[in-house]
Structure formats: structure tokens, C-alpha cells
Amino acid sequence: MRVIEITYKKPANLLIEALQKHCSALMAEPEIYGITTLKDIENKIWEHAKTQQGSFPRCSLDNLEVILNRTITSEWYNLLYRGEHTMISIFARPDAYADCFLELDNNRKLN
């Protein structure tokens, strides 16, 4: 998997902020955490959410929703707050297609 773009929106609460920081750490060194797909990221973030939820009792896990989409050439991970606001968004390509879209993806990063 080749990550093309990661977007973090202004955190809705302290739990979201903790998850964004954790995601940033995961994405800085994905090989250390055994991350090869966006599903791995989803699992790691959800595990972290469960452990951190006790520190933020006013922030309910029920308000979090994950949407994970995959096509042959791309993958998207979105963590939504209350089903409306995207807090973490990750766009990636499977390794098999990373070279095919290299120029397009590099242009995307520049814009």
C-alpha cells in the first residue's frame, strides 16, 4: 500500500484528537506497526479508541463511524464523527498499482 494523502480535520473532541495523533504516529512508521493495508489502520485506530475512551468519558465511541472503500486501483479510509464530519481521511493505492499512477499521485500531492 502506498499512502497518497492523509487529511486531518479540526478535532471534534479530545478523543478524536488522541486518535489523530495516534494515526499520525502509525503513518510515520507503518512497517513498525505491521500496517500493510488500510484495514490494518482501521483496526489499530479502533483498538486505540477503545483503550482511550475511558480517559474521555464524555466522548462516546457510538459517535464514531468508519467508512472503508476499495476499488481495484485505490483505497479510502474515513473516520467520521456523528456520521457527518470526516475527522481522518486516508487515500492510498495498492502496491500493484502504485507505479501506474505515480505521476498522477505526485500531481495530487502538489495541488
Side-chain angles (χ1 to χ4, degrees):
M1 168 188 75
R2 178 170 171 252
V3 174
I4 308 303
E5 184 177 358
I6 302 173
T7 306
Y8 301 105
K9 301 289 183 183
K10 182 179 177 185
N13 56 45
L14 294 174
L15 177 60
I16 298 292
E17 184 176 0
L19 296 180
Q20 288 176 336
K21 287 178 182 177
H22 185 66
C23 181
S24 181
L26 291 173
M27 297 313 298
E29 299 178 300
E31 58 282 343
I32 289 176
Y33 297 101
I35 295 173
T36 57
T37 68
L38 291 182
K39 184 65 176 166
D40 296 337
I41 294 169
E42 175 188 3
N43 293 339
K44 298 279 186 191
I45 290 175
W46 200 250
E47 288 170 13
H48 190 69
K50 288 178 182 177
T51 62
Q52 292 296 306
Q53 210 276 318
S55 301
F56 309 109
R58 296 180 64 194
C59 306
S60 173
L61 291 179
D62 293 337
N63 290 328
L64 302 180
E65 179 183 353
V66 172
I67 298 177
L68 190 64
N69 292 318
R70 176 180 292 162
T71 66
I72 293 173
T73 60
S74 57
E75 299 175 78
W76 294 270
Y77 166 87
N78 291 292
L79 177 70
L80 302 177
Y81 178 68
R82 293 189 175 171
E84 299 175 13
H85 308 286
T86 301
M87 297 287 108
I88 300 173
S89 180
I90 302 173
F91 174 65
R93 294 234 188 259
D95 290 334
Y97 292 94
D99 292 339
C100 299
F101 291 91
L102 191 58
E103 184 177 345
L104 177 67
D105 293 338
N106 287 339
N107 287 337
R108 181 185 177 114
K109 286 182 181 180
L110 295 174
N111 292 334

